[in-house]
Amino acid sequence: QAVSEYAKNHVASACYLRGFTDDAGQVEVFSMDPRVPARRRKPDNVGHRRNFWGQDAALRRHTERMLTEIESDARDVLLDVPVNWPPSDELSERAPMLQFLAIHVIRTPGWKQLLGQLAERWVLEHADEGPGDLTLEAKLELARSHRWAVETLESEIPVLASMFGSMHWTLVRFSEP
């Protein structure tokens, strides 16, 4: 059976994971299940969930392309961090890093689960509000949808990036890798 396009949805950027590879270009992958032994894999093959953004291939493609664009913009900034610290105050140079940090906070299984719970609770508490033609069941279905999660992800990236940009940053270096 052929794997559908964009079915592997990354929740951790391969470009970031490459910073933790060994000489063979692999990272050590551990399972939450203690019975599963650790294994070594290429960064492109880890840090993803199958159909994380749902069954709609167009929605997955849209989301992965949007996230890939942010990751691509941040890749050079990440590689430059140890050499050019602290980061420039120029927004054009800081924005890729800030957006990159934001997506790693909110494109996680935990964020997605919390988003669904909060949206569902809001719908139940405000059932009389919002679009008048939708039934309570339709509102709940919308709140639980992958499309809602993606739209919220897109709207929250600039909010979190702005918060990160307002913080003081310190680079911590270790004597060993």
Side-chain angles (χ1 to χ4, degrees):
Q1 180 178 356
V3 176
S4 63
E5 184 180 32
Y6 296 98
K8 283 180 17 179
N9 306 138
H10 281 88
V11 294
S13 297
C15 70
Y16 178 70
L17 294 174
R18 283 187 195 99
F20 299 94
T21 57
D22 59 15
D23 291 338
Q26 297 184 328
V27 293
E28 192 158 7
V29 180
F30 296 90
S31 172
M32 296 300 288
D33 184 343
R35 298 169 295 178
V36 177
R39 60 199 191 283
R40 303 193 80 64
R41 297 284 186 264
K42 296 281 185 187
D44 290 340
N45 297 325
V46 298
H48 58 81
R49 299 285 172 101
R50 185 159 184 73
N51 296 326
F52 186 68
W53 301 113
Q55 297 299 319
D56 181 349
L59 181 63
R60 288 194 315 262
R61 180 177 44 256
H62 164 79
T63 308
E64 287 297 315
R65 286 181 176 174
M66 182 254 311
L67 295 171
T68 297
E69 186 175 321
I70 291 170
E71 292 165 338
S72 295
D73 291 345
R75 183 181 46 242
D76 293 337
V77 176
L78 281 173
L79 292 171
D80 211 27
V81 165
V83 177
N84 292 317
W85 188 264
S88 164
D89 286 336
E90 287 295 318
L91 185 58
S92 62
E93 294 179 25
R94 288 178 65 107
M97 177 64 82
L98 299 173
Q99 290 177 341
F100 183 80
L101 291 171
I103 67 173
H104 281 82
V105 170
I106 58 179
R107 77 160 176 194
T108 64
W111 172 82
K112 194 171 171 197
Q113 180 181 4
L114 177 63
L115 174 67
Q117 292 168 350
L118 293 174
E120 186 173 322
R121 185 169 66 192
W122 190 92
V123 167
L124 292 172
E125 290 174 1
H126 302 276
D128 300 339
E129 301 172 24
D133 295 349
L134 294 179
T135 65
L136 176 61
E137 291 77 22
K139 291 176 186 179
L140 286 170
E141 184 178 331
L142 177 64
R144 296 174 184 140
S145 73
H146 293 286
R147 183 161 305 282
W148 174 261
V150 168
E151 289 173 2
T152 304
L153 169 86
E154 289 176 310
S155 68
E156 290 299 315
I157 290 171
V159 173
L160 277 173
S162 177
M163 287 174 43
F164 288 137
S166 300
M167 295 177 178
H168 174 79
W169 298 13
T170 300
L171 180 63
V172 178
R173 296 176 194 232
F174 296 93
S175 58
E176 296 181 26

